[in-house]
């Protein structure tokens, strides 16, 4: 009986090995295909810039930058992705389908347009997100003080209270590179603090935006990954 079972068992083992090998081959092929698709994907022309809108206002709005997608911004998702625009040329910003501004940014730059109300109209404060250098082995945190009436904002580790960013001016930002770690953060304006927010799992090269919104007496901290729109010809 042992001799009659052995060929069957050997056959099963060989079939399993072939299946595993097939999976490895498929995985390698898929990985190579993904790498090649990134390598040969269309790239923005020289001088292109990246622009996004962040809406710290209490109302969710439909926003479009240049030819980018329409994005509903506000609340727990105040920031849109970076649209690709021609640097040094004017482009339109639309809110709820209506053009509210024509903007221009310098070539090869990253910018965040912080939305605000100016009397009965919408207006933007341009915040330069361009990094002088980038450490591919670390993640970048960028903290924005967009809380109404908050002249200087802090970002602290929780519960230790260790400062990550200190005295960031109104409608301004600060950035730093960090090793990917697990931590919880709180935003602070004066004596008022936000609820602790955990950092998502970070990988080297990640870019994370941390927005202090709300008001000076009731600030809120919102964390979003920074994204760029894909380039299409």
């Amino acid at each position: 009986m042992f001799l009659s079972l052995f060929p069957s068992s050997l056959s099963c083992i060989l079939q399993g090995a072939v299946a595993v090998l097939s999976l490895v081959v498929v995985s390698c092929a898929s990985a190579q295909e993904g790498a090649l698709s990134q390598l040969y994907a269309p790239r923005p022309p020289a001088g292109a810039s990246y622009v996004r809108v962040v809406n710290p206002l209490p109302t969710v709005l439909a926003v479009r930058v240049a030819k980018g997608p329409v994005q509903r911004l506000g609340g727990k998702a105040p920031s849109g992705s970076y649209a690709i625009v021609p640097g040094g040329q004017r482009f339109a910003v639309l809110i709820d389908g209506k053009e509210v501004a024509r903007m221009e940014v310098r070539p090869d730059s990253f910018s965040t347009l912080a939305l605000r109300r100016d009397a009965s109209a919408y207006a933007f404060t341009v915040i330069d997100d361009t990094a002088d250098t980038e450490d591919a082995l670390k993640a970048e945190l960028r903290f924005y003080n967009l809380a109404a009436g908050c002249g200087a904002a802090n970002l602290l580790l929780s519960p230790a209270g260790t400062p990550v960013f200190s005295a960031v001016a109104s409608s301004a930002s600060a950035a730093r590179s960090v090793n990917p770690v697990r931590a919880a953060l709180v935003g602070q304006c004066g004596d008022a603090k936000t609820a602790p927010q955990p950092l998502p799992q970070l990988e080297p090269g990640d870019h994370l935006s941390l927005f202090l919104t709300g008001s000076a007496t009731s600030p809120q901290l919102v964390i979003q990954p920074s994204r760029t729109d894909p380039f299409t010809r």
Side-chain angles (χ1 to χ4, degrees):
M1 183 176 294
F2 174 79
L3 291 176
S4 64
L5 288 175
F6 180 75
S8 176
S9 301
L10 181 60
S11 175
C12 290
I13 292 171
L14 290 174
Q15 289 177 5
V18 170
V20 170
L21 182 60
S22 298
L23 287 174
V24 171
V25 171
V26 170
S27 297
C28 291
S30 298
Q32 185 178 25
E33 182 180 353
L36 288 175
S37 66
Q38 292 182 356
L39 179 63
Y40 294 108
R43 297 182 181 274
S49 296
Y50 300 81
V51 178
R52 67 178 177 180
V53 169
V54 58
N55 173 24
L57 303 177
T59 305
V60 176
L61 300 168
V63 179
R64 186 183 190 192
V65 177
K67 297 180 180 179
V70 177
Q71 302 177 81
R72 293 188 61 79
L73 308 180
K76 295 182 179 180
S79 174
S81 56
Y82 286 99
I84 302 170
V85 303
Q89 299 182 32
R90 297 180 72 80
F91 58 89
V93 181
L94 284 72
I95 294 180
D96 290 340
K98 298 180 180 179
E99 183 176 312
V100 297
R102 294 194 71 82
M103 313 287 293
E104 181 180 327
V105 295
R106 62 184 175 85
D108 301 310
S109 65
F110 283 77
S111 301
T112 291
L113 308 181
L115 182 64
R116 68 179 194 276
R117 293 290 296 186
D118 189 359
S120 60
Y122 291 112
F124 297 97
T125 300
V126 181
I127 302 174
D128 188 1
D129 294 337
T130 309
D132 295 329
T133 58
E134 185 170 338
D135 189 341
L137 299 179
K138 294 187 176 183
E140 183 193 74
L141 304 182
R142 188 173 290 271
F143 177 55
Y144 298 78
N145 177 10
L146 303 178
C150 181
N154 304 316
L155 187 72
L156 314 172
L157 288 176
S158 177
T162 307
V164 181
F165 297 102
S166 299
V168 177
S170 178
S171 298
S173 71
R176 65 182 295 179
S177 295
V178 299
N179 291 315
V181 295
R182 291 189 179 275
L185 302 171
V186 297
Q188 179 186 42
C189 185
D191 294 330
K193 292 183 179 180
T194 69
Q197 297 288 339
L199 281 177
Q201 181 66 48
L202 293 174
E203 300 291 340
D206 283 351
H207 294 257
L208 202 64
S209 297
L210 306 103
F211 301 102
L212 192 70
T213 61
S215 66
T217 56
S218 182
Q220 301 172 23
L221 181 63
V222 182
I223 300 176
Q224 286 186 262
S226 301
R227 299 174 292 108
T228 59
D229 293 339
F231 176 70
T232 56
R233 297 189 186 280

